[in-house]
Amino acid sequence: MSRATRLRGSTRVRGGLAPYAAREELSRGRRYPEPRPDFRGEYQRDRDRIIHSNAFRRLVYKTQVFVNHEGDHYRTRLTHSMEVAQIARSIALALRLNEPLTEAISLAHDLGHTPFGHAGQDALNHCMRPYGGFEHNLQSLRVVDELEDRYADFRGLNLTFECREGILKHCSLRNARRLGDVGERFIRREQPGLEAQIANLADEIAYNHHDVDDGLRAGLIEVRDLLEVRLFGREHAALLEQYPGLNDRKAVHETIRRMINLVVSDLILTTRERLQEARPASSEEVRKRSKPLVGFGAAVLEEHLELKAFLRERVYRHHRVLRMTAKAHRVLEQLFTAFLERVDLMPETHRDAAREAERAHGAAGRARAVADYVAGMTDRYAILEYGRLFDPAERT
Ligand code: MG
């Protein structure tokens, strides 16, 4: 092997992969065949296309729980996606799985998210109910398959099957039936590859822990509320025993850091054990299983769910968050209704897309194009559009 070949990223990674890792030479390929890249692997190319997409850049102005302009230190969807990728890559590496694929899936997983986090998704789903509903996972796939339309040779980003499969975390059976290859596993009740399973749980780990951090920062919860949550309480107590008198800022950061470390380590060890027991010979064998192989041990799973329940009760249902989500709901619903009624109020490209979709698919097509426009907005753009449409004093 020449030195140049050895230095190629893909070659270097492939040498150390476990038999059940995704391998690009066994990939089910891209929708539009392309020549192999010269100096990077196929999954690295996926990741690079995701990073260069418009939808990825917009993640910086989209939020999860807290609306963008509330403060400069809260997570946005961009920093969240990077945290997911970082956690997922560490796990993939420890399990000798395909790191570039894991990273690509993680970075793309939220590309289809609406403005205003979950409130936006609920609002748009409500608006789209007569036209087939709105699922953010499906929208992420739609972004990479259809809506990012800037390449000369194909529509979308033309990602590999494995990356697209990983992006589509959940999907209704009705939608699965019309999706073709990536929908099949939902019909057969099979699993995605291990890299996708990791990205999925890394997402949960990331948002659980950063919502604790952001919730504290926003003053929605206090450290003493969190002491009742076993995972937090135990790590916090152990920390203060080790460093009595540590200031609050450091104590919170250290506790969260240790919680993530504990949960991630448990996930790696549990998954490694399951893999040793199941001994799948390939990624295809992983897919045929009825249950995922990546997961937490029983004790950590229980604590992970306890933390989730705490956040739901104390953070996501806090009156300040509920007010924000109610407002978000109103903004998106009114934008959607106004554009659906008159598509010529949208910028030309979206207006034309809506007219074309209506010719092809009737009212549902028109509504889908409006939903695409609204879903693509950042928080601040949605607020601006709202002002332009409904505030007489605002410039149009
Ligand atoms: Mg996420």
Side-chain angles (χ1 to χ4, degrees), residues 7 10 17 32 38 50 52 66 78 99 115 127 133 144 168 183 210 228 235 263 271 273 282 287 343 358 370 375:
L7 284 174
S10 57
L17 287 182
Y32 309 92
D38 287 333
I50 290 159
H52 290 294
F66 304 91
L78 183 67
E99 191 187 348
C127 295
V144 301
L168 193 65
H210 66 50
E228 69 186 63
E235 294 303 312
V263 171
T271 306
E273 241 168 61
S282 66
R287 287 191 174 81
V343 295
E358 186 169 14
V370 172

Side-chain angles (χ1 to χ4, degrees), residues 141-190:
L141 186 67
R142 198 168 151 71
V143 166
V144 301
D145 278 356
E146 306 282 336
L147 301 178
E148 284 289 328
D149 191 22
R150 297 188 300 158
Y151 289 78
D153 291 329
F154 44 78
R155 214 182 154 85
L157 303 178
N158 199 28
L159 303 180
T160 60
F161 169 84
E162 294 73 29
C163 190
R164 295 172 59 238
E165 165 196 56
I167 291 171
L168 193 65
K169 254 194 309 202
H170 318 282
C171 170
S172 63
L173 267 184
R174 189 169 47 85
N175 282 323
R177 286 194 193 97
R178 55 167 196 83
L179 278 176
D181 55 2
V182 280
E184 282 165 21
R185 77 174 169 94
F186 297 97
I187 299 163
R188 295 201 203 120
R189 295 177 186 279
E190 291 176 354

